[in-house]
Amino acid sequence: MLKKGLLLLAGVLLLAGAGFAAPADTSAPLIVEGSFSAQTNTLSKAQIFNQKARDAEVATLNEKLRRGQYAEVKQRINNLTSRNFLDNRFHLILALAYDGLQDYDNVIYAAGQAIAVAPQDPRAYLLRAGAYLKQGQHERCQMDLDTALKLNPTSRMAQRLQAELDAKTFLVKPEAKKEETPQKKSSPTWFILYFAAVFAAILLYVYWRYEDVFHQPKNAFSRREVEVKEQYDFIRQIGEGGMGKVYEAYDKVLKRKAAIKRVRPELVRSAYVREQFLSEARMVALLRHPCIVEIYTVIESESALYLVFEYVDGQTLETRLDIDGRLPFSKAKRIFEYVCRGLHYAHSQDIIHCDLKPGNIMIYGDDKAKVMDFGVAKKSVDHETGARTVAGTPAYMAPEQQKGFMRKQSDVYSLALCLYEALVGQVPWTVKGFDIAKKKIVPASKLAPHIPPAVDGLLEDALKEDPKERIQTIDEFWSRLEAIDPLEEELEETHY
């Protein structure tokens, strides 16, 4: 016992401080010109105009930007889109025009649209970061700057914005350091040694007094380091998304199949982010509903984090649409009944999905469905602004979510986008005739046969830009959808 005490006392006296160093930052200027459309992930169906004509329009708009004719650029794009003259580069140019007009709310929205169609282009992130900086949203600004620097580490515009942000957020640090310095010098060595000895004695007393407590086994909620392959056989990769890769696996202990998502290491490398992620995953694991893919457990290993899900033998709505193009209304209605049930239950538990899209709707059996991947879900809050988050897939995010705010009505917006895509075959933003200036979509009944006209009103009300004017609950959305009967001429003799 005396040997234990001496060893512990020696360890305490040998403690030392550590220094901190900040990584260097390099960058290069933002280049407005370039082939923005080459980086887009928009469906090729929306590219309907001659490439030469679009390039000429983009060159004209860039020239007007250089001359500072921002209002003319805005008016020109509105005129072009009203005549169905579409180009993905218009989003970025419109964001630049709004920036010149100092209309920062619309800069954020237009830049968000540019990110949705070209998430690998750093320019839109820089424009949105600048708008956030002007509005004093420093946290949002820093996140967009980090993304832009990952895509283009040599951006001079990013360096300038970072310097402005640092000047506004870190001015207090130098004064704090000056106050700490004389305090360290005034502490004599004998006093530090005396304090360390007293502290070590207290630790030894506590250890000896409660030694049996320290040797008790850890409970089920303690952090564990587990080698996941000791319990699971990985069979094959079945998917990949923004959070990581998904594998089909076999649980050797419980003798059942499971779906395991290996979370990307960079998402949980920070101890704080890791704990936050685990806390949210445990929250979602409490959801138990037939229309929600259940999270069995969360497993930590030395180098990774794993989410273990219920395995569903089926295919996602995204895969079904890739194969069949679109769904008849009667079939889509049956599938979305299950989706609405699952979301209604989650909202009743004050949990918002945050990333609803066709890739997260699993279809199985006779047109049954389960909602999956609540991995980025957030707890709903009572105040007006909603839960704050930047997670999600840009093409399916509500306008307020693109600005960093999340509420239950944001899930309603994403649900409506999924239904539109299921019936038409593509999201509204890629359809010929979409009015980007007024943000008005083309009615679904005009794009595919046998869609009841009442569906257009439902989608229009669910896709309102202002969440207060939107359909407020999943129950209301389903009640209106349930009341719509298929047209008599819709044929069920299809290959679905």
Side-chain angles (χ1 to χ4, degrees):
M1 193 64 71
L2 179 59
K3 187 179 293 183
K4 286 184 182 178
L6 292 175
L7 287 175
L8 184 57
L9 179 59
V12 172
L13 295 177
L14 289 176
L15 292 175
F20 298 90
D25 185 22
T26 59
S27 46
L30 172 68
I31 300 174
V32 177
E33 292 79 33
S35 179
F36 181 77
S37 60
Q39 302 178 35
T40 183
N41 59 359
T42 307
L43 294 178
S44 59
K45 296 178 184 177
Q47 309 296 328
I48 62 173
F49 293 104
N50 179 273
Q51 183 66 39
K52 185 176 180 180
R54 293 201 306 273
D55 291 343
E57 282 295 343
V58 170
T60 301
L61 292 169
N62 277 327
E63 182 61 30
K64 289 181 180 292
L65 286 176
R66 282 191 286 269
R67 295 176 182 175
Q69 299 171 347
Y70 305 118
E72 293 184 20
V73 170
K74 173 185 170 184
Q75 183 63 37
R76 180 63 177 167
I77 291 178
N78 290 343
N79 291 338
L80 290 172
T81 54
S82 67
R83 293 187 284 113
N84 297 333
F85 194 103
L86 307 177
D87 191 283
N88 290 325
R89 291 170 287 184
F90 287 173
H91 299 297
L92 182 62
I93 294 173
L94 194 58
L96 288 166
Y98 281 129
D99 188 63
L101 295 171
Q102 299 183 359
D103 186 352
Y104 299 117
D105 282 337
N106 276 318
V107 171
I108 293 171
Y109 182 83
Q113 293 295 313
I115 291 169
V117 297
Q120 298 303 314
D121 192 309
R123 296 173 291 184
Y125 292 100
L126 289 173
L127 281 170
R128 193 166 69 176
Y132 281 139
L133 183 61
K134 294 293 185 182
Q135 293 184 338
Q137 299 187 48
H138 299 149
E139 184 179 350
R140 303 278 78 76
C141 175
Q142 186 63 66
M143 296 183 74
D144 275 352
L145 276 177
D146 291 343
T147 303
L149 285 171
K150 287 181 182 178
L151 296 172
N152 181 13
T154 60
S155 170
R156 282 185 298 199
M157 177 175 282
Q159 183 182 25
R160 177 177 61 78
L161 287 174
Q162 187 68 65
E164 292 182 20
L165 180 61
D166 291 345
K168 292 184 178 181
T169 54
F170 297 110
L171 286 175
V172 184
K173 287 190 174 180
E175 297 179 0
K177 291 181 179 178
K178 291 180 181 178
E179 295 178 359
E180 293 175 1
T181 303
Q183 293 179 358
K184 292 181 179 179
K185 292 181 179 178
S186 63
S187 300
T189 304
W190 68 266
F191 179 79
I192 296 175
L193 293 175
Y194 174 78
F195 179 79
V198 172
F199 184 70
I202 293 173
L203 287 178
L204 286 172
Y205 171 77
V206 171
Y207 180 81
W208 288 329
R209 178 68 178 81
Y210 302 101
E211 185 174 3
D212 56 334
V213 175
F214 288 101
H215 289 289
Q216 287 182 357
K218 296 181 179 180
N219 59 42
F221 295 100
S222 300
R223 171 172 285 190
R224 300 175 294 128
E225 292 293 334
V226 177
E227 179 53 56
V228 67
K229 291 185 179 178
E230 291 181 2
Q231 181 173 349
Y232 298 94
D233 283 330
F234 285 72
I235 301 172
R236 62 189 177 95
Q237 182 177 331
I238 56 177
E240 183 172 2
M243 293 179 60
K245 297 180 179 180
V246 183
Y247 300 89
E248 178 186 346
Y250 181 74
D251 189 333
K252 293 183 286 188
V253 176
L254 299 177
K255 308 299 181 184
R256 66 182 179 185
K257 283 187 176 183
I260 298 181
K261 173 174 286 189
R262 187 181 191 274
V263 181
R264 287 164 48 197
E266 59 267 28
L267 294 179
V268 290
R269 189 170 292 140
S270 162
Y272 171 77
V273 175
R274 188 183 186 96
E275 278 302 317
Q276 188 178 43
F277 184 90
L278 286 171
S279 175
E280 292 169 356
R282 295 186 189 106
M283 170 190 71
V284 176
L286 299 176
L287 295 177
R288 295 288 187 275
H289 192 272
C291 298
I292 294 178
V293 174
E294 181 180 348
I295 295 180
Y296 287 150
T297 187
V298 179
I299 298 179
E300 293 183 83
S301 73
E302 293 183 2
S303 60
L305 187 65
Y306 299 86
L307 297 178
V308 183
F309 294 91
E310 166 193 4
Y311 179 80
V312 180
D313 189 8
Q315 61 181 182
T316 64
L317 177 59
E318 180 181 34
T319 301
R320 176 72 66 86
L321 294 176
D322 286 342
I323 297 171
D324 296 324
R326 62 177 184 81
L327 302 178
F329 174 74
S330 56
K331 187 175 289 290
K333 181 178 177 180
R334 289 197 297 272
I335 291 172
F336 276 81
E337 177 182 1
Y338 292 95
V339 176
C340 290
R341 288 178 182 177
L343 288 176
H344 167 74
Y345 173 75
H347 286 190
S348 71
Q349 304 300 309
D350 288 331
I351 293 177
I352 311 171
H353 190 287
C354 297
D355 194 21
L356 187 67
K357 57 185 177 181
N360 286 337
I361 297 174
M362 180 65 72
I363 303 172
Y364 69 100
D366 185 19
D367 294 331
K368 296 180 180 179
K370 287 177 178 277
V371 181
M372 65 180 184
D373 206 351
F374 277 80
V376 296
K378 297 290 179 183
K379 189 73 173 177
S380 176
V381 291
D382 294 331
H383 56 75
E384 184 177 335
T385 56
R388 299 201 64 174
T389 176
V390 292
T393 303
Y396 298 90
M397 290 165 63
E400 69 275 7
Q401 188 177 355
Q402 294 180 7
K403 296 180 181 180
F405 298 94
M406 193 66 190
R407 59 183 74 193
K408 293 178 181 178
Q409 291 78 20
S410 304
D411 275 353
V412 174
Y413 190 96
S414 301
L415 177 64
L417 286 176
C418 291
L419 178 59
Y420 189 103
E421 184 172 1
L423 295 173
V424 173
Q426 53 185 317
V427 290
W429 331 127
T430 65
V431 172
K432 172 185 174 182
F434 168 64
D435 189 340
I436 187 175
K438 298 180 180 178
K439 304 176 183 66
K440 186 172 180 61
I441 67 172
V442 179
S445 63
K446 295 183 179 180
L447 299 172
H450 314 315
I451 296 178
V455 173
D456 299 335
L458 169 64
L459 293 173
E460 182 179 356
D461 292 342
L463 294 174
K464 295 284 188 183
E465 185 176 2
D466 187 348
K468 294 180 181 178
E469 298 178 0
R470 198 178 301 156
I471 290 177
Q472 294 296 295
T473 65
I474 298 294
D475 266 354
E476 182 183 353
F477 183 93
W478 169 243
S479 295
R480 291 183 57 176
L481 179 60
E482 184 182 25
I484 301 173
D485 295 323
L487 298 179
E488 293 182 2
E489 60 266 27
E490 179 179 325
L491 301 178
E492 292 296 335
E493 298 176 2
T494 68
H495 63 286
Y496 295 107

